[in-house]
Amino acid sequence: MQFRLILGFGLVLALTIGGVSWYVGFAANRATERYQQDVDIARAARLEHLVARNYTAERGWVGLQATLEQAGSLYGWRVVVNDTEGHVVGDSDVHSKDGFERAGRARRITPILSGGRQIGFLAVGGSDGPVPAADPPLSQVVSALNRSLLWGGLAAGTGGILLVSVLSRRVFRPVRKLNAAARRLGKGDLTQRVPGKGRDEIGGLARTFNAMADGLEKAEEQRRNLVADVAHELRTPLSNIQGYLEAIRDGMLAPDADTIDTIREQVLQLTRLVEELRLLALAEAGALRLALEPDSVQDLIRRSVDAFSPKAEAEGLVIGLDIQPELPLVLMDRERVSQIVGNLLENAILHTPEGGRIAVSAKQVGSGTVEVAVTDTGEGIRKGDLEAIFERLYRVDPSRSRATGGVGLGLTIAKQLVEAHGGSISAESTIGEGSKFRFGLSVAEDANRELESAQ
Ligand code: ADP
């Protein structure tokens, strides 16, 4: 990456310097040419003036040859003067007597005037060609300029590439660190973190990487805890069953109805745990199939309360109902929502002392949601625990819950089921006063509209 950056930069630099040199060289050449032309024109005009003055002073062409030779050698030109009849009257090139007419090589032919009368022609040409070469010093200036440009460009290019190498090294250092950390993370070292202080994109990437590593580490820890907790939860009823069976085999315990009931309790506890884990696995994998149908949540609550009332009464508790009249139908999987309400009621009964009160309420909030709440006047939950009770296998008081069959999956499953319905579940609680759990279900808009139009 760094190499490619340097290569790309070098290429851009070479193109820029090359382009600028070429353009400056081209422009300098053109300017020189134009300047040379202007100089030529001025010199030719001066020469014409000289020849005309000579003619006027001498009343003829006497002394012209010497002037032309002087001018010719001074300017590096060949200068020929013809009279009006076309005879060569002077030629800077003493060896050639044919003038320009025959060769036809004159670059510029202008009439010579004296006192307003034409007295001849002045023909000018290069000493070795039709276009005189630029004066050597001027062309040298252009090539010197080109050379300077080339050296300057090379120096700037080398400096630029050095600078890019140093800068890109600095820029890519965190990327290299990130890459190494990601490689080690991929190999299973989840403690890998990178410094993420920069405010730029790479700093942002580093922070995202760290957050991802945090998440992975936490998930890994949860997975490890889950396996350990499940193993523990399975071991307790299994060792109980084993103990009972060994006692029966050794003749220490009679295999009567009571013993069989106790063993059956343990088996049921195992079955419930396995079933809860299966449901949780399905829900977490997003593979839980819900049979969503427009249904009456009011009816469902009544049935749940009826089912739990005997158990509540046995504990000296009353379950009250507070359902808003004419609740709209909601979209729900009846069996799953019964399970949610059942879990909440079971917890409320378990954690409310004798004489307490439990209430199940349902009301519409906003236009699209029906909120169901289970409130109790029980022991309450501490703030610290409140944040964790929806986590897998979390129990506020592990010994007590295990004794009563709960393994800390009830609320996790309730949360998953509510979320599978597209809603959310929350809890609020005050120690010694009681707790309130509530969740929302979506109103079945179409079904309610049909119901209204049928009425
Ligand atoms: P479990 O299946 O063991 O009951 P849950 O996931 O249902 O586990 O509940 C987790 C923890 O939340 C329980 O250990 C319990 O202490 C606490 N809890 C749940 N409901 C209530 C409630 N209504 N009042 C007080 N504590 C509660």
Side-chain angles (χ1 to χ4, degrees):
M1 180 90 172
Q2 190 187 9
F3 175 71
R4 256 184 284 162
L5 192 80
I6 294 172
L7 196 74
F9 182 78
L11 216 67
V12 170
L13 214 65
L15 277 176
T16 313
I17 292 170
V20 168
S21 312
W22 176 82
Y23 181 73
V24 170
F26 173 76
N29 268 331
R30 270 190 41 176
T32 316
E33 255 172 46
R34 221 173 298 136
Y35 172 74
Q36 189 65 52
Q37 270 168 16
D38 290 349
V39 168
D40 284 357
I41 290 169
R43 283 175 181 174
R46 222 177 303 145
L47 205 56
E48 275 163 41
H49 183 66
L50 205 66
V51 172
R53 219 175 51 187
N54 186 75
Y55 183 85
T56 317
E58 300 294 339
R59 296 184 191 282
W61 301 112
V62 183
L64 176 70
Q65 181 59 31
T67 310
L68 293 187
E69 278 174 30
Q70 223 170 21
S73 71
L74 194 65
Y75 297 157
W77 284 353
R78 174 152 177 227
V79 189
V80 178
V81 174
N82 291 354
D83 63 14
T84 43
E85 269 130 50
H87 299 126
V88 176
V89 289
D91 190 338
S92 62
D93 185 352
V94 282
H95 307 297
S96 164
K97 289 284 167 228
D98 57 354
F100 278 126
E101 301 88 343
R102 266 176 247 166
R105 282 164 35 206
R107 190 168 58 80
R108 187 185 153 86
I109 300 175
T110 45
I112 308 167
L113 303 173
S114 170
R117 189 170 62 88
Q118 185 172 343
I119 51 166
F121 297 96
L122 177 79
V124 172
S127 57
D128 50 358
V131 180
D135 280 349
L138 212 56
S139 56
Q140 271 168 18
V141 168
V142 174
S143 57
L145 184 74
N146 278 336
R147 255 199 316 279
S148 311
L149 269 173
L150 192 72
W151 283 116
L154 278 176
T158 316
I161 286 177
L162 275 175
L163 204 70
V164 166
S165 312
V166 173
L167 284 181
S168 62
R169 245 188 122 68
R170 272 183 67 117
V171 169
F172 284 116
R173 198 178 304 140
V175 176
R176 270 196 287 273
K177 274 191 187 159
L178 206 63
N179 194 15
R183 210 171 312 123
R184 284 195 287 268
L185 190 85
K187 283 187 183 153
D189 179 3
L190 300 180
T191 58
Q192 288 297 318
R193 299 292 183 277
V194 285
K197 273 178 256 138
R199 286 169 162 270
D200 54 4
E201 287 83 352
I202 293 178
L205 186 64
R207 283 190 290 279
T208 311
F209 174 85
N210 287 344
M212 182 192 75
D214 281 347
L216 280 176
E217 206 176 9
K218 197 166 171 224
E220 176 61 15
E221 194 186 316
Q222 278 181 348
R223 190 190 64 80
R224 252 184 274 136
N225 288 348
L226 181 71
V227 173
D229 284 355
V230 167
H232 184 81
E233 294 305 329
L234 289 173
R235 203 178 56 193
T236 313
L238 278 175
S239 58
N240 285 347
I241 294 168
Q242 190 183 349
Y244 279 113
L245 291 176
E246 283 170 3
I248 293 170
R249 185 195 61 193
D250 298 344
M252 291 166 72
L253 199 68
D256 54 13
D258 269 0
T259 313
I260 291 173
D261 264 358
T262 316
I263 295 176
R264 189 171 168 272
E265 268 302 312
Q266 301 293 314
V267 173
L268 284 180
Q269 196 179 326
L270 276 176
T271 312
R272 192 165 55 224
L273 173 61
V274 170
E275 181 50 31
E276 282 181 345
L277 282 169
R278 192 187 70 88
L279 191 64
L280 191 65
L282 275 181
E284 285 184 340
L288 198 68
R289 298 245 170 276
L290 291 185
L292 288 181
E293 272 176 32
D295 208 334
S296 162
V297 75
Q298 175 178 349
D299 181 56
L300 181 145
I301 291 173
R302 276 184 209 288
R303 282 170 195 262
S304 299
V305 170
D306 284 349
F308 278 89
S309 281
K311 195 175 176 184
E313 276 162 24
E315 302 283 334
L317 304 165
V318 228
I319 308 185
L321 273 175
D322 177 14
I323 297 176
Q324 182 188 319
E326 292 180 21
L327 262 187
L329 296 181
V330 295
L331 262 185
M332 66 177 182
D333 181 327
R334 186 170 254 272
E335 198 187 322
R336 302 302 186 199
V337 176
S338 292
Q339 206 168 351
I340 302 168
V341 177
N343 277 354
L344 295 180
L345 277 174
E346 211 165 329
N347 278 346
I349 294 171
L350 198 64
H351 298 284
T352 308
E354 199 177 344
R357 196 185 143 75
I358 296 166
V360 186
S361 65
K363 62 175 182 193
Q364 185 166 4
V365 289
S367 60
T369 310
V370 167
E371 186 188 88
V372 180
V374 176
T375 318
D376 64 56
T377 57
E379 62 201 43
I381 307 165
R382 276 189 303 126
K383 213 171 161 46
D385 289 324
L386 206 56
E387 285 157 17
I389 51 172
F390 292 104
E391 285 176 15
R392 289 180 295 199
L393 297 165
Y394 186 86
R395 286 174 309 228
V396 173
D397 177 359
S399 58
R400 179 181 162 171
S401 294
R402 203 174 303 132
T404 52
V407 293
L409 283 177
L411 286 179
T412 317
I413 288 173
K415 180 172 183 252
Q416 292 286 342
L417 292 178
V418 170
E419 284 174 359
H421 277 83
S424 64
I425 188 166
S426 64
E428 48 201 87
S429 186
T430 313
I431 283 284
E433 284 182 23
S435 316
K436 182 174 188 176
F437 287 81
R438 49 177 149 189
F439 65 93
L441 292 168
S442 300
V443 169
E445 309 277 2
D446 295 348
N448 287 309
R449 227 172 290 134
E450 275 170 33
L451 214 64
E452 269 167 33
S453 58
Q455 277 167 5

